Amino acid sequence: MARKRPTDDGDELLARLGSLTAQARERAELQRSRVELAIALQRGMLPRELPTARGYRLAVRYAPAYHGLNVGGDWYDAFPMADGRIGLSIGDVQGHNIEATAFMGQVRVCLRALASVTGEPGELLAATNDLLLSLGGDLFATCTFLRLDPATGVLESARAGHIPCVWATADGRSGIAEDEGGPPLGVLPGTTYPVTRHRLTRGGVFVLLTDGVVEGPSMSVDEGLGQVVRLAGVAAVAGLDAPALATAVMKGAERVGHEDDAAVLVVGHDGADERADGRVAGGAGGGAGGGERDRRVQP
């Protein structure tokens, strides 16, 4: 009875290994193409330019973190509004794939489009939440939206499950903005989002960020936020501009050992602290109502 020669067995094994290798290479190339597409979507959806306003400076730093063949869904945005104010948003989408990146684009577009209907931050987040739910899907996003009035320095803030902002003033005070918030976008229908009002005074800064900046294997979120508070306080006292502070915050993010995107958006007031009519800005703005709370940047 003839027996198969050992060389025949070896040839068959090599053929099988070659086939498996080719399949693995095809899957890797497909996944790499998806990652490249997600990266291109990220870059295309982030704003190319930031709005300008006399006496104010905006600065951003963004570091996408790739998990092997995955990519995150953090975003930031800043755009002029019809009434002369500036809309600012930052957020983080659940997941690390091309679907998360596409959903990030949906959220950003929804915020911009609905801002032409209502610029009030709480109403804007509520409308965006309901619109995202009507589109279906299983993803959700955390987000903070701010509306800055350059004429008065008033910042109106609403938060949807996102980490809080950090503030600092030129007289050495700094801290975490203890805004009341609501759940992430795309989770619960009919959600309301309270609005908190701050006043950004001359030399002050307001820092928006994503959790990749302050939370990771090497640092808790409380420690990370404390690090940003210290950096913002030093920057405000030293008179550092918004770009320098944004760079320092992003550099500090390297200490958290994160495997996530990291985004920083800094608003700095480097001009005269005056109202449009020339009077020096004083208290924290008009009376609160409709769920709003008034608060100066320095509590």
Side-chain angles (χ1 to χ4, degrees):
M1 179 177 180
R3 298 181 60 185
K4 184 179 293 185
R5 292 179 299 171
T7 54
D8 292 338
D9 293 339
D11 291 342
E12 183 178 351
L13 178 58
L14 288 174
R16 290 180 179 178
L17 288 174
S19 176
L20 291 174
T21 300
Q23 293 176 26
R25 185 181 297 112
E26 289 177 2
R27 287 194 292 267
E29 288 295 332
L30 176 60
Q31 184 63 14
R32 186 174 295 107
S33 297
R34 290 169 62 87
V35 171
E36 291 174 353
L37 176 58
I39 294 171
L41 284 172
Q42 275 186 327
R43 291 173 177 169
M45 291 175 185
L46 297 176
R48 295 178 181 272
E49 297 180 351
L50 299 176
T52 59
R54 182 176 178 271
Y56 295 86
R57 185 82 180 272
L58 304 182
V60 297
R61 297 293 183 270
Y62 183 69
Y66 310 132
H67 317 268
L69 294 177
N70 288 326
V71 63
D74 289 14
W75 88 89
Y76 64 85
D77 200 7
F79 56 91
M81 304 179 76
D83 59 3
R85 287 182 270 197
I86 296 175
L88 306 161
S89 71
I90 196 165
D92 184 2
V93 175
Q94 169 214 16
H96 299 92
N97 50 35
I98 192 171
E99 287 76 16
T101 304
F103 188 70
M104 174 265 282
Q106 286 183 320
V107 177
R108 179 175 174 268
V109 169
C110 286
L111 287 169
R112 282 212 177 202
L114 293 173
S116 63
V117 178
T118 174
E120 197 274 341
E123 294 178 0
L124 179 56
L125 289 188
T128 300
N129 177 64
D130 290 341
L131 179 55
L132 291 172
L133 286 169
S134 71
L135 296 175
D138 300 324
L139 297 179
F140 63 86
T142 66
C143 174
T144 293
F145 186 88
L146 276 74
R147 180 170 64 173
L148 168 65
D149 185 351
T152 62
V154 170
L155 277 166
E156 298 168 285
S157 171
R159 192 157 57 96
H162 202 67
I163 60 174
C165 301
V166 168
W167 58 267
T169 62
D171 61 4
R173 288 180 285 180
S174 58
I176 299 170
E178 300 294 342
D179 299 0
E180 183 180 356
L185 302 175
V187 176
L188 296 173
T191 300
T192 59
Y193 296 91
V195 176
T196 303
R197 304 181 73 200
H198 306 270
R199 168 68 48 73
L200 188 58
T201 54
R202 185 176 183 179
V205 295
F206 215 74
V207 184
L208 296 75
L209 35 81
T210 58
D211 57 7
V213 179
V214 294
E215 184 179 22
S218 304
M219 187 176 293
S220 69
V221 64
D222 291 336
E223 292 173 321
L225 283 171
Q227 175 177 271
V228 176
V229 168
R230 290 189 293 273
L231 287 171
V234 170
V237 171
L240 297 179
D241 61 12
L245 175 56
T247 298
V249 172
M250 186 60 77
K251 183 68 175 177
E254 296 175 2
R255 297 177 52 195
V256 307
H258 65 82
E259 296 180 349
D260 200 357
D261 290 0
V264 178
L265 172 56
V266 176
V267 185
H269 185 354
D270 56 7
D273 185 24
E274 296 181 351
R275 297 183 185 275
D277 59 8
R279 292 183 290 113
V280 175
E292 292 189 359
R293 293 185 297 140
D294 286 350
R295 179 179 298 163
R296 294 179 63 88
V297 161
Q298 59 271 37

